[in-house]
Amino acid sequence: MSRETEGIDWTTIAEQLLGHWKRSGITHLPIARHPLPDEIAQWPVADRNSADATGSSKGPSTLQPAPTKQASPPPKPSSPPVPSSPENPLPTKPIAPLPPMEGPITLTPWVNTSLDDNGRAVALQGLHEEVKACRKCADIVCRRMQTVFGIGPLRPKLVMMGEAPGADEDRAGEPFVGAAGQLLDKILVASGLARNQVYIMNTLKCRPPGNRTPVDAEIENCRPFFESQLEILQPEYIICWGSIAARAVLRRNDSVGRLRGRFHAYKNAKVLVTYHPSYLLRTPEAKHQTWDDMKMLMRELGITPPTR
Ligand code: URA
């Protein structure tokens, strides 16, 4: 059955359409065809490649011809900021690259280098009283038995920083006295260090309920305390045991695996990050990495690592 026999006069319809287009100012219709080589040469490179690879007749994504070298705007000194979106949140501060595995890091002097032993003792005592009086973390303060400030010499070469007190520490008022503390003591002895030679403290001064991981707001509430404590003690070295201490001191969210094996800087102290003793109790296969980190520190301290 032909179209004419269906009663449709295609010629008349076409003429009517052409007349309508002419009255509307349309003089010719675009025809889908493969672009000519000299047209492709005008396209931006990305579009040119897609036409070459696919033989697509789509044409360039922009109607502008590719700008020639002379027409392109002068290069800007820095790239414009990329707008943030919920799908692509940007960090508020640029993240500094990790320091190299070997080589110098940038240390900055402590603020008050004139404190003698008595000045340090008085400053620590005052800070301790402030910690005891702190009620900032509502979820924690109603459940803690006591605050756990820190313990050690007034002029420690090395400060060890943990995460937060557990149940044993909450009872005793001293950091690292439970199972993790016992492993810590063994690591210290193996490294040629005695517990009373180092200052031991935590990021959080109170036990989070059920030993849960501290949240960022709690770390920030405690920041003035641990930063003042470090400023008074002015150690040459800090060991951050686990990612919470590393995040608090270095302000980085990287895993321990990425941060360990090198020194970082906190003010005038070299910072070593390694696995938390509680993690090592659960994951003994990570112990050899912590042992490598401790040997790196021992070399710095002039202690000969024992041969095993
Ligand atoms: N874990 C810590 O991080 N600190 C302690 O004091 C005890 C366990």
Side-chain angles (χ1 to χ4, degrees), residues 240-257:
C240 290
W241 295 100
S243 60
I244 293 293
R247 188 190 310 179
V249 171
L250 301 176
R251 293 182 185 268
R252 300 195 72 108
N253 283 333
D254 302 87
S255 65
V256 172

Side-chain angles (χ1 to χ4, degrees), residues 148 161-167 169 174-178 180-181 200-204 241 276-278:
V148 181
M161 184 131 161
E163 180 175 310
E169 292 78 18
E174 190 177 322
F176 282 105
V177 292
I200 306 177
M201 58 186 267
N202 280 310
T203 307
L204 254 54
W241 295 100
H276 192 285
S278 300

Side-chain angles (χ1 to χ4, degrees), residues 73 92 121 133 143 154 185 203 277 283 293 296:
T92 48
R143 295 180 175 93
L154 288 172
D185 287 348
T203 307
T283 321
D293 295 333
M296 190 176 89

Side-chain angles (χ1 to χ4, degrees), residues 32-95:
R33 61 171 171 79
H34 193 278
L36 300 170
D38 57 333
E39 289 173 327
I40 292 176
Q42 298 281 308
W43 295 0
V45 173
D47 293 317
R48 234 182 282 166
N49 291 344
S50 74
D52 291 348
T54 61
S56 157
S57 61
K58 253 199 256 155
S61 59
T62 161
L63 294 174
Q64 303 299 320
T68 59
K69 258 227 154 99
Q70 297 90 318
S72 57
K76 296 198 177 130
S78 61
S79 49
V82 182
S84 179
S85 69
E87 305 79 44
N88 179 27
L90 292 172
T92 48
K93 279 188 198 164
I95 307 242

Side-chain angles (χ1 to χ4, degrees), residues 63-283:
L63 294 174
Q64 303 299 320
T68 59
K69 258 227 154 99
Q70 297 90 318
S72 57
K76 296 198 177 130
S78 61
S79 49
V82 182
S84 179
S85 69
E87 305 79 44
N88 179 27
L90 292 172
T92 48
K93 279 188 198 164
I95 307 242
L98 286 174
M101 294 302 256
E102 311 267 336
I105 48 172
T106 309
L107 300 174
T108 50
W110 299 106
V111 176
N112 182 359
T113 49
S114 61
L115 280 182
D116 60 12
D117 282 2
N118 190 48
R120 286 185 182 209
V122 170
L124 282 176
Q125 188 53 41
L127 191 62
H128 194 168
E129 294 307 323
E130 281 182 48
V131 166
K132 283 189 211 168
C134 179
R135 302 274 180 278
K136 281 191 217 161
C137 302
D139 184 40
I140 288 184
V141 80
C142 56
R143 295 180 175 93
R144 75 180 179 202
M145 287 179 79
Q146 58 188 314
T147 56
V148 181
F149 185 66
I151 191 162
L154 288 172
R155 290 187 176 275
K157 195 164 186 160
L158 172 62
V159 163
M160 312 227 285
M161 184 131 161
E163 180 175 310
D168 294 316
E169 292 78 18
D170 188 42
R171 254 191 307 275
E174 190 177 322
F176 282 105
V177 292
Q182 284 164 22
L183 178 56
L184 187 73
D185 287 348
K186 285 186 192 160
I187 296 172
L188 282 177
V189 170
S191 307
L193 295 161
R195 189 176 167 102
N196 62 5
Q197 281 182 299
V198 301
Y199 193 97
I200 306 177
M201 58 186 267
N202 280 310
T203 307
L204 254 54
K205 305 302 177 196
C206 305
R207 180 193 180 205
N211 296 350
R212 65 160 169 73
T213 304
V215 298
D216 283 349
E218 291 161 352
I219 296 172
E220 292 315 307
N221 284 344
C222 257
R223 179 171 297 285
F225 298 138
F226 67 73
E227 289 202 336
S228 301
Q229 209 169 0
L230 292 172
E231 177 62 40
I232 296 166
L233 296 167
Q234 302 188 359
E236 281 176 52
Y237 296 92
I238 299 171
I239 300 184
C240 290
W241 295 100
S243 60
I244 293 293
R247 188 190 310 179
V249 171
L250 301 176
R251 293 182 185 268
R252 300 195 72 108
N253 283 333
D254 302 87
S255 65
V256 172
R258 250 175 83 70
L259 294 171
R260 59 164 294 277
R262 70 187 92 198
F263 284 108
H264 305 262
Y266 176 79
K267 300 197 179 161
N268 211 18
K270 288 184 173 182
V271 179
L272 177 70
V273 176
T274 195
Y275 294 108
H276 192 285
S278 300
Y279 176 80
L280 296 176
L281 286 172
R282 295 192 306 272
T283 321

